[in-house]
Amino acid sequence: MIVRLKDSARDTEIEAVLSRIGDPRRVVLPFGRFIIGMGRQDPGGAEVQHMPGVESVVAEMNGPVLAARDANRRGTVVPLGRTLVGGKDLAVIAGPCSVEDKHQLMTAARFVAAYGATALRGGAYKPRTSPYAFQGLRLGGLAILDEVKRATGLPVVTEAMEPEDVDLMRDTVDCIQVGARSMQNFPLLRAVGRAGKPVLLKRGPASSLSELMLAAEYVLVEGNSQVILCERGIRTFETATRNTLDLNAVPVLKSKTHLPVIVDPSHGTGRRDAVIPMARAAVAAGADGIIVEVHPDPDRALSDGDQSLTLDQFRQLMEETRLVAEAVGRRLSTPGAVYSSCAQRPAARTALGWGTT
Amino acid sequence: MIVRLKDSARDTEIEAVLSRIGDPRRVVLPFGRFIIGMGRQDPGGAEVQHMPGVESVVAEMNGPVLAARDANRRGTVVPLGRTLVGGKDLAVIAGPCSVEDKHQLMTAARFVAAYGATALRGGAYKPRTSPYAFQGLRLGGLAILDEVKRATGLPVVTEAMEPEDVDLMRDTVDCIQVGARSMQNFPLLRAVGRAGKPVLLKRGPASSLSELMLAAEYVLVEGNSQVILCERGIRTFETATRNTLDLNAVPVLKSKTHLPVIVDPSHGTGRRDAVIPMARAAVAAGADGIIVEVHPDPDRALSDGDQSLTLDQFRQLMEETRLVAEAVGRRLSTPGAVYSSCAQRPAARTALGWGTT
Amino acid sequence: MIVRLKDSARDTEIEAVLSRIGDPRRVVLPFGRFIIGMGRQDPGGAEVQHMPGVESVVAEMNGPVLAARDANRRGTVVPLGRTLVGGKDLAVIAGPCSVEDKHQLMTAARFVAAYGATALRGGAYKPRTSPYAFQGLRLGGLAILDEVKRATGLPVVTEAMEPEDVDLMRDTVDCIQVGARSMQNFPLLRAVGRAGKPVLLKRGPASSLSELMLAAEYVLVEGNSQVILCERGIRTFETATRNTLDLNAVPVLKSKTHLPVIVDPSHGTGRRDAVIPMARAAVAAGADGIIVEVHPDPDRALSDGDQSLTLDQFRQLMEETRLVAEAVGRRLSTPGAVYSSCAQRPAARTALGWGTT
Amino acid sequence: MIVRLKDSARDTEIEAVLSRIGDPRRVVLPFGRFIIGMGRQDPGGAEVQHMPGVESVVAEMNGPVLAARDANRRGTVVPLGRTLVGGKDLAVIAGPCSVEDKHQLMTAARFVAAYGATALRGGAYKPRTSPYAFQGLRLGGLAILDEVKRATGLPVVTEAMEPEDVDLMRDTVDCIQVGARSMQNFPLLRAVGRAGKPVLLKRGPASSLSELMLAAEYVLVEGNSQVILCERGIRTFETATRNTLDLNAVPVLKSKTHLPVIVDPSHGTGRRDAVIPMARAAVAAGADGIIVEVHPDPDRALSDGDQSLTLDQFRQLMEETRLVAEAVGRRLSTPGAVYSSCAQRPAARTALGWGTT
């Protein structure tokens, strides 16, 4: 049972509801306060529905509740640097698959910043199918990300592989990515939920959209609504592409959840020559942004070289995608925008005076 | 072994090549003349390569040859009414799933014509999963299509289910559809290849892009290069949508074949609310057109009502897609264009003075 | 609406039911007589349920009715040569993918007969992904099948690709195969339904079990209940095997339909080294038989060589599978059984004195 | 580069090899000692191949090396209680999906032990798609497992969801399961690799067999070769079953890796009525055992009730599967076998006097 409280609910009213519900958990989100009963002896919905201070009740939870469209009809926007992801401006998160060295990352970052990227991606911790593949520079990678972030002003998006990574990322990272293989790593989802900063949650290659939303629900239940969903391709029988980018996900998610949705055409296709067309398509479908791999020298990349754009191709992507963005009433940053700070993210929860339990 | 002849090849040179190759078959296409050896005793490629009149030789045929990009670097355009599909103008093929009665089809056709559709779709022969589902009006459906075509000037696209249907469609139908379930119905592919008119070949729900191109090759081998490929969604684990529209297919096919590629967002999603976003996305990805289901009263449709657009939604689709088309340098017909004739298709093969054997 | 008549229903009672139901179609199967209403104005089930001569009524047809388990609780057995497929004896249909020449087929047939095969497979008409691949000997292949059948006494199973093939097979072929690519070739299904002989219906690589049963329903509606279903692998992301043999299909189909179910481990795996283990597994799962590719010289096979067993491997398959068959209470023919005739199939429908309309 | 050392290699020879290889890592497994070079400046294979003490060299690592068949031609057996998994005796791991309370687990355990189960399964930490579903008793569940293990003598198999769970399981758990959703949770794989006890590694629902073996490689690289692979169904378009149990995996894995392979027909089908047939099929295909869900009262189970066997059904499963096991030359424990101890597992690595670095 999930009870949504009225904004006007008084403390005594809240206490009364808490005492009626088995094993209650309090969640505060920017769009509302909720009491979640996990106990098997929860009262019926009809009984709680009419208590003072209660706005609405969901008695059966077969799908997402906090992540469902109805929970926030206005739509959630997630601040990432100066962009409000989910608003009119599109997010463009660009950079190399892996952080390889300072020169590589700085070159890529300066270029993508100059052509309108709104955030920098780059992996320090790399989940790799083989234990013999390059596993990332780890702490060294985080240090490079920090340095490049200071130099360029670009907010940084990078992947955490386990809960303890999240702590290490507290100071450097602006948005923690939960990778496709980790979409149902529930301890990790809870950890990024408690971290209180933006989360980029990628769809698993065999995960339905319903499961993606329930994975987001794990984050929201911890009191963090700053979740950006990311379609990055699913696994099908087709081998012409590395994955099958499922752009259907964009309109379906838009109708079912209030969270912003971006698209990763690099992993979604695995082919450099398909990235730009699919970036255009993603924006035309209504995505709130894209995340793309860009490398100064893709042929020497330590990972994902086949799908990384060259710097020139990134410029082309921005030019072409900008026109499509305008055709659908959205906006892409213009080249040369300067990022002076990425610390202006509103601290959504502190003003509400309530922690999560 | 496939031998491509030079345009300047003389009859005696051709005879010499024919006599060297086992079990030869001659194919004439608008973009070249070919001799295909099916025999197991074909000579080596090096041997034939240097014979007079020979332009190039493909010795091993693991993939498509006539349908491959290299066979026609300029790209094939298929005339459908006044639109050259594969050129700058986008094809918009719209209409109901099934022809149900004259009033239904006429209403839909007049509306979609008024808002810029370039051809009318409507099934007379319906492949249905259950023998108890509506199977189409068959000959009665063809008659209605004929009448509506005369009244509106719209060229007609409809599906053939077996070779004998192809003959029945000779006079009425401008473009014969080979449906997704029939993509590997090889007798049917050969039959539409011999029919000498445009073919709309839909990708099977479990077919790779490579297999789609080889299915097209069956048509081309019969001397008919007027093939429009259609991505219409593949079968995956995801159940939020009826199929998973694989827009990756657009850039991949564009790089591998010279045939035009259109997209069917109606079957590709199965959800009315996703059709318009995916139509926009298809055009942004580089598709040469779309095919969509439109019904005057979708809730009463005898088939596919859930995915059919209302007339108003079709108007919206055209308005939104037109802007995206312009953003990618393409053109959508403007409302009110009048179709006076659909018989202006150039008779591609007759000028060449060669039949297929 | 489908009405099942009582065995005791009188002509006048039947006429009364027929006159109540819109656009009726009569179907007689060995396990019952049915009246199928295809009209949209069918009366409600409650109304017809109580008419004299009516045993039961199915008002809504969302799934198979004639093929559903309930239609024939005793289970259907299909005679193929001397084996009643679906009974205690297991069918073993063995032979080469394609009929290549008389020597090849005779060698294979004599060997598999000697080691207990109950029928011979061999393709005369071959559906091939590429138009340049070997397409079968066609009529020449049927002639060879006929000759080998006479010499060995083995009943013959071969594939029809289009309705007109069915007529050509009338005299030679004991069981017509509808291949995986043709599972939803509805004109072909109707044609084999009218042919009145056993049908081997293979599951399409992207077809659900529900769709397979509905494809069988197309055959049954024509009055032919002699349908053997065949699981042959579905298309998934896994590339270690050509297809993913879905043995779950065996218990699921057994619970949902009365038709016999066999398994094709050759296409289901595409790997010679996996055929024997999966044949054992199929029998352990409860299959009513197997169909396997056996070639005297697989490395020189014109099709499917990678998955064809050698003659020795077929012998091993029979030895190993026989033990498993006994462990699950089934029986595999012993080596050396002689087939003197395959014409003993009971003419199921003629005794009932009713045709299909 | 991976270098396999001869058993006779001397310390000085090993030192010489170590000093030639970039960033070396030493791995000792019961079947051999290996030096793995992770550095990009590894010397060519030809150069190292001829150094003293070197048995063989793998220069390129595109697939598994330590887990590959060639690494241990004799096959690996993993001790689990008194069963050597991978030997002639089949493992039967049975019990409820989740540990719910002491009575439930004790009832199930006593029953399955009496009918021949060789180990007890039961989840204390439950990965659940929804945060609102029962998440397991966690430490309380481990305590119950410990108590039931002492009472019944059954070794215990349970799932770890994150690295820190592994430590908590040190004393109680005999075999740590890495669940399907965690197959590519690389930190967890490394942690169970270091734990030095048997690991049950389940295939991910969208993971290829190649990826499964590479996941096992992560464990082996840590010096732990006690890995049991488990096929538990993959995700496909078919919805009649919860997953598609891919029994092809059994022969394919058997040919490509030396690790034992078991099958989970409960998750692989999701249907109680399909579990027994698929258990029989798994054994017939050559699996080294099965893992099945058994619950004293499936209809009241807190998770996976639909696919749990009743106690009576488990008895039937054992009876039927025993016959199939014998037919393929394997052995299933007989009812009434008593487990007095599960601590007889040989401490494989200590005798070798080398740790992993």
Side-chain angles (χ1 to χ4, degrees), chain A residues 63-118:
Chain A
V65 179
L66 304 179
R69 186 80 231 177
D70 278 344
N72 184 12
R73 298 301 310 174
R74 294 173 54 198
T76 288
V77 294
V78 177
L80 180 62
R82 301 193 313 178
T83 305
L84 294 172
V85 186
K88 177 164 180 155
D89 287 317
L90 297 178
V92 178
I93 306 169
C97 176
S98 304
V99 178
E100 297 173 7
D101 57 49
K102 182 178 151 188
H103 175 72
Q104 170 239 23
L105 191 67
M106 191 71 84
T107 306
R110 289 214 157 108
F111 191 93
V112 302
Y115 285 93
T118 58

Side-chain angles (χ1 to χ4, degrees), chain C residues 4-44:
Chain C
R4 183 177 197 153
L5 300 173
K6 290 180 180 163
D7 289 345
S8 60
R10 299 179 191 176
D11 285 357
T12 50
E13 292 168 348
I14 295 172
E15 289 305 319
V17 175
L18 285 168
S19 67
R20 284 300 291 276
I21 294 183
D23 196 6
R25 179 186 179 87
R26 285 174 282 183
V27 179
V28 184
L29 293 167
F31 50 85
R33 286 179 296 171
F34 299 84
I35 296 172
I36 301 175
M38 305 296 291
R40 297 193 220 162
Q41 289 85 31
D42 279 354

Side-chain angles (χ1 to χ4, degrees), chain B residues 207-247:
Chain B
S207 295
S208 68
L209 296 174
S210 166
E211 290 162 349
L212 173 60
M213 287 185 282
L214 282 165
E217 191 88 0
Y218 270 90
V219 182
L220 270 72
V221 157
E222 298 294 329
N224 184 359
S225 70
Q226 300 181 66
V227 179
I228 302 167
L229 303 177
C230 181
E231 161 62 32
R232 51 73 76 195
I234 57 174
R235 200 155 205 181
T236 71
F237 63 84
E238 176 61 72
T239 56
T241 45
R242 182 176 174 185
N243 290 288
T244 296
L245 189 68
D246 176 13
L247 287 185

Side-chain angles (χ1 to χ4, degrees), chain B residues 59-77:
Chain B
E60 297 280 333
M61 297 169 293
N62 294 321
V65 179
L66 304 178
R69 186 80 230 176
D70 278 344
N72 184 14
R73 298 301 312 175
R74 294 173 53 200
T76 287
V77 294

Side-chain angles (χ1 to χ4, degrees), chain A residues 12-257:
Chain A
T12 50
E13 292 167 349
I14 295 171
E15 288 305 320
V17 175
L18 285 169
S19 66
R20 284 301 292 276
I21 294 182
D23 197 6
R25 180 187 179 85
R26 285 174 284 182
V27 179
V28 184
L29 293 167
F31 50 85
R33 287 180 294 172
F34 300 84
I35 295 172
I36 301 176
M38 305 294 293
R40 296 193 222 162
Q41 289 84 32
D42 280 354
E47 200 174 329
V48 178
Q49 177 70 62
H50 299 295
M51 293 179 71
V54 169
E55 184 171 314
S56 60
V57 173
V58 178
E60 296 281 332
M61 296 169 293
N62 294 321
V65 179
L66 304 179
R69 186 80 231 177
D70 278 344
N72 184 12
R73 298 301 310 174
R74 294 173 54 198
T76 288
V77 294
V78 177
L80 180 62
R82 301 193 313 178
T83 305
L84 294 172
V85 186
K88 177 164 180 155
D89 287 317
L90 297 178
V92 178
I93 306 169
C97 176
S98 304
V99 178
E100 297 173 7
D101 57 49
K102 182 178 151 188
H103 175 72
Q104 170 239 23
L105 191 67
M106 191 71 84
T107 306
R110 289 214 157 108
F111 191 93
V112 302
Y115 285 93
T118 58
L120 176 67
R121 62 154 293 154
Y125 296 82
K126 298 299 306 172
R128 300 302 296 275
T129 301
S130 165
Y132 309 124
F134 174 61
Q135 308 274 315
L137 298 180
R138 308 180 69 81
L139 281 178
L142 289 182
I144 294 173
L145 282 166
D146 195 45
E147 194 172 346
V148 172
K149 169 183 171 174
R150 287 171 202 276
T152 61
L154 283 175
V156 158
V157 180
T158 201
E159 176 166 355
M161 284 172 64
E162 54 182 318
E164 70 184 40
D165 296 345
V166 175
D167 290 332
L168 301 173
M169 293 178 179
R170 190 173 304 275
D171 296 328
T172 302
V173 177
D174 299 274
C175 176
I176 301 175
Q177 177 176 314
V178 175
R181 290 181 182 90
S182 304
M183 192 199 89
Q184 292 191 319
N185 184 334
F186 302 114
L188 180 60
L189 291 174
R190 293 197 188 277
V192 298
R194 289 187 298 266
K197 53 171 68 186
V199 174
L200 179 61
L201 177 60
K202 296 188 117 181
R203 181 185 185 183
S207 295
S208 67
L209 295 174
S210 165
E211 289 163 349
L212 172 59
M213 288 185 282
L214 282 165
E217 190 89 0
Y218 269 91
V219 182
L220 271 72
V221 157
E222 298 294 329
N224 184 359
S225 69
Q226 300 180 66
V227 180
I228 303 167
L229 304 177
C230 181
E231 162 61 33
R232 50 74 75 196
I234 57 173
R235 200 154 206 182
T236 71
F237 63 84
E238 177 60 72
T239 56
T241 45
R242 183 176 173 185
N243 290 289
T244 297
L245 189 67
D246 176 14
L247 287 185
N248 288 346
V250 176
V252 172
L253 289 172
K254 283 286 174 188
S255 76
K256 289 182 181 274
T257 178

Side-chain angles (χ1 to χ4, degrees), chain A residues 2 36 38 40 61 65-66 127-132 135 161-163 181 184-187 190 205-208 211 214-215 217-218 221 235 302, chain D residues 2 36 38 40 61 65-66 127-132 135 161-163 181 184-187 190 205-208 211 214-215 217-218 221 235 302:
Chain A
I2 296 189
I36 301 176
M38 305 294 293
R40 296 193 222 162
M61 296 169 293
V65 179
L66 304 179
R128 300 302 296 275
T129 301
S130 165
Y132 309 124
Q135 308 274 315
M161 284 172 64
E162 54 182 318
R181 290 181 182 90
Q184 292 191 319
N185 184 334
F186 302 114
R190 293 197 188 277
S207 295
S208 67
E211 289 163 349
L214 282 165
E217 190 89 0
Y218 269 91
V221 157
R235 200 154 206 182
L302 294 182
Chain D
I2 295 188
I36 301 174
M38 304 296 292
R40 297 192 221 164
M61 296 169 294
V65 179
L66 304 179
R128 300 303 297 276
T129 301
S130 165
Y132 309 124
Q135 308 273 316
M161 284 173 62
E162 55 180 320
R181 290 182 182 88
Q184 292 192 319
N185 183 334
F186 303 114
R190 292 198 189 277
S207 295
S208 68
E211 290 163 348
L214 282 165
E217 191 89 359
Y218 269 91
V221 157
R235 200 156 206 181
L302 295 182

Side-chain angles (χ1 to χ4, degrees), chain D residues 1-208:
Chain D
M1 166 177 285
I2 295 188
V3 178
R4 184 177 195 150
L5 299 173
K6 290 179 180 163
D7 289 345
S8 61
R10 298 179 193 176
D11 284 357
T12 52
E13 292 168 347
I14 295 172
E15 289 304 321
V17 175
L18 284 169
S19 66
R20 284 300 290 276
I21 294 182
D23 196 5
R25 180 186 178 85
R26 286 174 283 185
V27 179
V28 185
L29 294 167
F31 50 85
R33 288 179 295 171
F34 299 84
I35 295 172
I36 301 174
M38 304 296 292
R40 297 192 221 164
Q41 289 84 31
D42 280 353
E47 200 173 328
V48 178
Q49 175 71 62
H50 300 294
M51 292 178 72
V54 169
E55 184 171 315
S56 61
V57 173
V58 179
E60 297 279 333
M61 296 169 294
N62 294 321
V65 179
L66 304 179
R69 186 80 230 176
D70 278 345
N72 184 12
R73 299 302 310 176
R74 295 174 54 199
T76 287
V77 295
V78 177
L80 180 61
R82 301 194 311 179
T83 306
L84 294 171
V85 186
K88 178 165 177 154
D89 286 318
L90 297 178
V92 177
I93 306 169
C97 176
S98 304
V99 178
E100 297 172 7
D101 57 51
K102 183 177 151 188
H103 176 71
Q104 169 239 25
L105 191 67
M106 192 71 84
T107 306
R110 289 214 155 109
F111 191 93
V112 300
Y115 285 93
T118 59
L120 177 66
R121 62 153 293 154
Y125 297 82
K126 298 299 305 172
R128 300 303 297 276
T129 301
S130 165
Y132 309 124
F134 174 61
Q135 308 273 316
L137 298 179
R138 310 179 69 80
L139 281 178
L142 290 182
I144 293 173
L145 281 165
D146 195 46
E147 194 171 347
V148 172
K149 169 184 171 175
R150 287 172 202 278
T152 61
L154 284 175
V156 160
V157 181
T158 201
E159 177 166 355
M161 284 173 62
E162 55 180 320
E164 70 183 39
D165 295 346
V166 175
D167 290 332
L168 300 174
M169 294 178 178
R170 192 173 304 275
D171 297 328
T172 301
V173 177
D174 299 273
C175 177
I176 301 175
Q177 176 177 314
V178 175
R181 290 182 182 88
S182 303
M183 192 200 89
Q184 292 192 319
N185 183 334
F186 303 114
L188 180 61
L189 292 174
R190 292 198 189 277
V192 297
R194 290 187 299 265
K197 54 170 68 185
V199 174
L200 178 61
L201 177 59
K202 297 189 115 180
R203 180 185 187 184
S207 295
S208 68

Side-chain angles (χ1 to χ4, degrees), chain C residues 323-337:
Chain C
L323 297 174
V324 174
E326 286 162 8
V328 296
R330 304 296 283 270
R331 200 162 52 196
L332 217 63
S333 292
T334 46

